[in-house]
Amino acid sequence: MAAETVPRRAAGRPREFDANVALDKAVRLFWRHGYEATSMADLVAALGVGAPSLYAAFGNKAQLFAKALERYAATFSVTLYGVIDDPSLTTQATVGKLFDQAARQFSEPGTPGGCFMYSAAAAVSPTSGAIEALLRGKRAEFETRLATRLVQGISRGDLSANIDPIATAKYLNCILQGMSLQARDGAKYADLKSMAQRALASWTRAPRDDT
């Protein structure tokens, strides 16, 4: 797919910039500093685009953040959660690979530590309710995908019917969230992998709560 280009003005005449490259820079800026701590001046400086062109291409900061979130979902999240849709893996292998990929991605050199969707949420105040709702919805979307995969595992017979898929998906998501926070604090791949292995050693033994 050809890169989308958006006109901008420089030195008094129209020029073009690659919208995806600009969004990738915005992703990293929001990822590192959060929504509220990132100003439009910061974005203008990081993206190398004049303010009028930035507003024309992406709208206001909230609209740009929404586009950056979708860009993250289409790049980093696809890599992380893509394993969920691999039909060749057992459920336990799927979850194991998901956690290993998370440990690698959250600690990857060259990107801010942790996960954009968790890190950005930690820096959103009550005055930015729409942004918080956007992030919460995206996290819920992936949690639902994981729960659906657990249901499939029960149906296939490679996961115990005693497992509560919704509660277990929430538990696994909490572990991922904790790994993200640890990565923000500087944890390396080996540290995150150790956390994941401890969680994976017990998650299939969690009983269904039907009381």
Side-chain angles (χ1 to χ4, degrees):
M1 183 187 303
E4 179 184 0
T5 56
V6 180
R8 68 176 180 180
R9 301 193 66 84
R13 62 188 181 83
R15 293 177 58 189
E16 292 185 339
F17 68 91
D18 188 315
N20 286 335
V21 171
L23 281 175
D24 287 339
K25 293 177 181 178
V27 165
R28 282 165 170 75
L29 200 62
F30 283 126
W31 190 350
R32 186 177 303 280
H33 300 293
Y35 173 74
E36 292 181 5
T38 302
S39 68
M40 285 301 291
D42 295 329
L43 289 161
V44 166
L47 274 60
V49 180
S53 294
L54 192 62
Y55 282 110
F58 301 115
N60 60 27
K61 188 173 80 165
Q63 292 170 320
L64 175 53
F65 181 87
K67 290 181 173 68
L69 178 59
E70 289 303 321
R71 178 65 176 169
Y72 178 87
T75 52
F76 290 93
S77 291
V78 164
T79 301
L80 176 58
Y81 289 98
V83 64
I84 294 176
D85 302 319
D86 187 343
S88 68
L89 298 175
T90 65
T91 306
Q92 292 194 44
T94 295
V95 175
K97 193 170 181 179
L98 170 65
F99 272 64
D100 181 71
Q101 181 61 35
R104 293 182 185 278
Q105 187 167 305
F106 292 174
S107 59
E108 184 177 1
T111 63
C115 172
F116 175 92
M117 291 187 291
Y118 297 128
S119 298
V124 176
S125 76
T127 60
S128 300
I131 296 299
E132 198 281 331
L134 190 66
L135 289 163
R136 184 173 62 248
K138 187 62 70 174
R139 293 193 303 271
E141 175 185 327
F142 289 117
E143 187 174 289
T144 298
R145 283 180 62 188
L146 183 54
T148 299
R149 180 62 183 86
L150 299 180
V151 170
Q152 292 172 350
I154 293 172
S155 298
R156 295 174 183 175
D158 67 10
L159 191 63
S160 171
N162 290 328
I163 293 291
D164 183 327
I166 295 177
T168 302
K170 289 184 179 297
Y171 166 74
L172 295 173
N173 200 33
C174 282
I175 300 300
L176 290 171
Q177 188 169 357
M179 290 170 63
S180 175
L181 181 59
Q182 288 288 317
R184 287 286 287 190
D185 287 342
K188 305 303 182 186
Y189 168 72
D191 304 313
L192 300 178
K193 181 68 172 179
S194 178
M195 288 178 59
Q197 287 175 334
R198 290 177 183 275
L200 293 172
S202 61
W203 74 274
T204 57
R205 298 197 296 272
R208 179 188 291 273
D209 184 3
D210 292 325
T211 59

